[in-house]
């Protein structure tokens, strides 16, 4: 059996894993939550307006403060949304699964134990 065939088996095993199934369910609910999606679009719009204002030569501090405040209020609403929280938790679990899989593969390629440890943080792409 080839490496490609084994990779296909691994991919199939991943999509059959409960963490992947939970992630996909949460992603679909997240993506279909019209209120949440509207808040995310509004958040991006405000963030882009804030960036544009910051790039101007003459800054309107009152406008910057209003945009920052509006962005914070919207962020607080987004992060309290049940569908957003479920999606973020499921996404985090999927990232953990993929990190575990990658660590195992890395071990077989390099012979070095993968995973998180303080002495490996400098080369880490982020578990914290």
């Amino acid at each position: 059996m080839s490496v490609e065939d084994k990779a296909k088996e691994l991919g199939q095993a991943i999509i059959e894993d409960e963490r992947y199934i939970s992630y996909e369910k949460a992603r679909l609910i997240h993506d279909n939550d019209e209120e949440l999606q509207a808040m995310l679009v509004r958040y991006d719009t405000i963030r882009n307006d804030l960036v544009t204002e910051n790039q101007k030569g003459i800054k309107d501090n009152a406008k910057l403060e209003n945009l920052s405040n509006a962005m914070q209020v919207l962020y607080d609403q987004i992060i309290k949304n049940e569908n957003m929280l479920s999606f973020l938790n499921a996404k985090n679990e999927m990232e953990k699964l993929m990190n575990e899989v990658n660590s195992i593969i890395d071990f077989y390629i390099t012979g070095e134990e993968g995973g998180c440890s303080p002495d490996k943080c400098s080369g880490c792409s982020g578990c914290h």
Side-chain angles (χ1 to χ4, degrees):
M1 187 171 270
S2 71
V3 171
E4 291 81 6
D5 290 336
K6 289 289 187 181
K8 289 175 186 176
E9 283 183 21
L10 176 59
Q12 186 63 42
I14 290 171
I15 65 171
E16 292 172 0
D17 187 279
E18 187 57 41
R19 290 164 287 190
Y20 177 82
I21 294 166
S22 295
Y23 167 74
E24 277 301 305
K25 286 179 184 176
R27 186 186 61 78
L28 286 172
I29 292 169
H30 167 277
D31 291 353
N32 290 310
D33 183 333
E34 292 178 13
E35 181 181 345
L36 175 58
Q37 294 305 312
M39 285 190 290
L40 291 169
V41 167
R42 181 71 183 131
Y43 182 87
D44 280 342
T45 301
I46 294 170
R47 184 181 46 124
N48 289 336
D49 290 348
L50 190 57
V51 168
T52 300
E53 279 300 313
N54 272 315
Q55 291 174 341
K56 288 183 178 178
I58 300 173
K59 296 179 182 177
D60 181 344
N61 289 334
K63 188 172 185 177
L64 288 172
E65 186 175 339
N66 286 339
L67 288 169
S68 291
N69 290 339
M71 200 166 113
Q72 185 61 50
V73 167
L74 200 49
Y75 175 82
D76 291 342
Q77 291 172 351
I78 290 168
I79 208 66
K80 289 178 185 174
N81 180 287
E82 183 178 316
N83 294 333
M84 182 61 140
L85 290 174
S86 294
F87 171 71
L88 291 174
N89 288 332
K91 182 179 177 204
N92 186 43
E93 290 302 312
M94 261 311 291
E95 287 172 356
K96 285 180 187 177
L97 171 62
M98 295 310 298
N99 285 336
E100 290 172 18
V101 168
N102 288 329
S103 289
I104 293 167
I105 292 170
D106 192 48
F107 172 76
Y108 278 91
I109 293 171
T110 66
E112 294 182 19
E113 193 71 34
C116 274
S117 68
D119 62 321
K120 294 182 182 173
C121 281
S122 64
C124 185
S125 61
C127 64
H128 298 284

